[in-house]
Amino acid sequence: MDADAIDKAPDAAAAWPDQIYGLLKKHDIRQVALVPDAGHSRLIKRCLADNEIQVTTLTTEEEGIALMQGAWLGGQKAVLLMQSSGVGNCINMLSLSHIHRCPMPMLVTMRGDFGEFNPAQIPMGNATQAVLEAMGTLVKRADTPEDIAPTVDATIRLAFNTFRPTATLIGQRVIGAKTFGKD
Amino acid sequence: MLAESGKLDRRELTRALLEDRGEMVVIAGLGAPAWDITAVGDHPLNLPLWGGMGAAAMIGLGLALAQPNRRVLVLTGDGEMLMGIGALATIAVKKPRNLSIVVQDNEHYGETGMQETATKHGVDLVAMAKGAGFPQTMFVTKPGEVPALKAAIHAGNGPFFAVAKIDATSKKLVLPPRDGAIIQARMREAILGPEAHHQL
């Protein structure tokens, strides 16, 4: 991770990225769609190193909603990884899940949420949960490291057991916010 | 197969492409392509979209990756393709050999009053696909080119992208089932068998 990058990655000692990877394997997730976020950087590396997971890097997050629809039609489970700003790109596309009753679990790392440095992250970060819920998504937050794995597990189960869009929001409080020496 | 305008008739083109389709899955973008695939014969392996404008190509990618031994055809319109144009980059990078995208290009938004799309003003979707890295592309304007288009869809050397310039006239409305849950479930059963509904 570039020390000057504006996104913050989880500490190397944090266990939760590997725990999420373990949950993807446990639930037989075969496709992972993503627009990169520093908060998901270690999880993305684990997925890329796994020959049984197809990783598709998207040009915009709404492509991932459509990709999950296609994967499910073909009998595979998929998840979408993204930053909170990307949720805004998914709004209309989420109707696919309701049209077809298609499972669509999303794992969202939050920006503009807790101690944010960048003003541009605030509008979408503040609206993320409301926007997802307005489109019928079942949203749960995880704001401590211990909460992440059980919440992600529940989000994946809820999507595939009840055929709808679901999301875990991983709070910025867990990942930490960059301050650029201004604290 | 030609309309009075001298351009390809969309229904006749669709009929030709889907004849003897075998096990091929067809995703149709919302609007006229969804009506077209239904008019030439509703089928469990058809996914006519009622919404999600811009989704068709990416649904095709997810399906093509999940079912690499099955041909997947995305049949969509120019407006729908333009809305999800970034998918050309995403798909070209993934290189699914079994995925074909055919844009029935009438240069208009047909469902909303025939307003002009960007392709009417020279935007070249085939050039965009080539630029993204699609190894196989075609630009089709004549009935005599349709057999080669059909052969390319079935060849499995994809990802394959084609534009077929079609007559802009709207055709008789032939609606697919409107309950998307049925459309999804019947396709999953046709691909996966009865266990599709018992997957854990």
Side-chain angles (χ1 to χ4, degrees), chain A residues 102-172:
Chain A
C102 181
M104 294 189 177
M106 295 167 266
L107 307 181
V108 181
T109 43
M110 291 302 297
R111 295 288 306 271
D113 178 45
F114 194 89
E116 176 62 56
F117 172 85
N118 180 355
Q121 287 285 356
I122 299 296
M124 194 60 230
N126 193 47
T128 297
Q129 183 160 356
V131 161
L132 284 168
E133 288 177 342
M135 285 306 292
T137 308
L138 300 183
V139 182
K140 306 295 173 198
R141 284 193 64 108
D143 284 299
T144 64
E146 310 77 60
D147 249 2
I148 294 174
T151 309
V152 168
D153 191 31
T155 288
I156 295 172
R157 284 175 187 277
L158 205 54
F160 291 106
N161 289 338
T162 75
F163 316 103
R164 67 190 74 243
T166 64
T168 290
L169 308 186
I170 300 171
Q172 194 170 19

Side-chain angles (χ1 to χ4, degrees), chain B residues 22-163:
Chain B
E23 299 294 301
M24 184 168 74
V25 175
V26 180
I27 312 292
L30 81 180
W35 321 149
D36 289 339
I37 66 165
T38 306
V40 305
D42 193 26
H43 195 289
L45 291 171
N46 280 2
L47 190 89
L49 284 161
W50 281 94
M53 186 163 176
M58 285 301 299
I59 294 175
L61 177 62
L63 223 168
L65 293 175
Q67 291 287 327
N69 295 320
R70 187 182 285 265
R71 298 285 179 269
V72 177
L73 170 64
V74 173
L75 189 66
T76 192
D78 41 310
E80 207 273 348
M81 190 69 244
L82 285 162
M83 189 171 283
I85 199 71
L88 293 181
T90 305
I91 291 165
V93 170
K94 291 303 289 182
K95 300 182 173 61
R97 293 175 61 85
N98 54 328
L99 178 62
S100 299
I101 301 170
V102 175
V103 177
Q104 292 184 313
D105 182 3
N106 68 357
E107 304 180 349
H108 292 81
Y109 294 100
E111 302 297 311
T112 54
M114 297 304 284
Q115 298 87 353
E116 294 172 352
T117 65
T119 62
K120 174 79 172 172
H121 300 275
V123 169
D124 184 343
L125 292 172
V126 170
M128 293 173 90
K130 282 182 181 167
F134 274 68
Q136 311 283 341
T137 61
M138 274 184 79
F139 181 73
V140 175
T141 58
K142 299 182 185 72
E145 296 163 337
V146 173
L149 172 62
K150 191 170 174 179
I153 291 167
H154 287 276
N157 298 325
F160 170 71
F161 181 89
V163 166

Side-chain angles (χ1 to χ4, degrees), chain A residues 31 54-59 62-64 66-67 69-77 92-93 95-96 99-103, chain B residues 27 47 49 51-55 58-59 61-63 65-67 86-87 89-90 94 180-181 184 187-188 191-192 199-200:
Chain A
Q31 294 197 41
Q54 283 271 5
V55 176
T56 299
T57 303
L58 314 162
T59 69
E62 68 187 289
E63 289 177 7
L67 191 90
Q69 174 69 71
W72 183 243
L73 285 166
Q76 287 192 341
K77 295 178 176 175
N92 179 57
M93 212 55 101
S95 55
L96 288 175
I99 293 169
H100 303 110
R101 288 171 46 74
C102 181
Chain B
I27 312 292
L47 190 89
L49 284 161
M53 186 163 176
M58 285 301 299
I59 294 175
L61 177 62
L63 223 168
L65 293 175
Q67 291 287 327
T90 305
K94 291 303 289 182
Q184 174 181 268
M187 179 181 281
R188 283 172 48 80
I191 294 173
L192 305 165
Q199 188 171 334
L200 294 176

Side-chain angles (χ1 to χ4, degrees), chain B residues 157-176:
Chain B
N157 298 325
F160 170 71
F161 181 89
V163 166
K165 288 286 184 182
I166 56 163
D167 180 63
T169 311
S170 293
K171 311 295 283 189
K172 182 173 180 287
L173 209 53
V174 182
L175 297 179

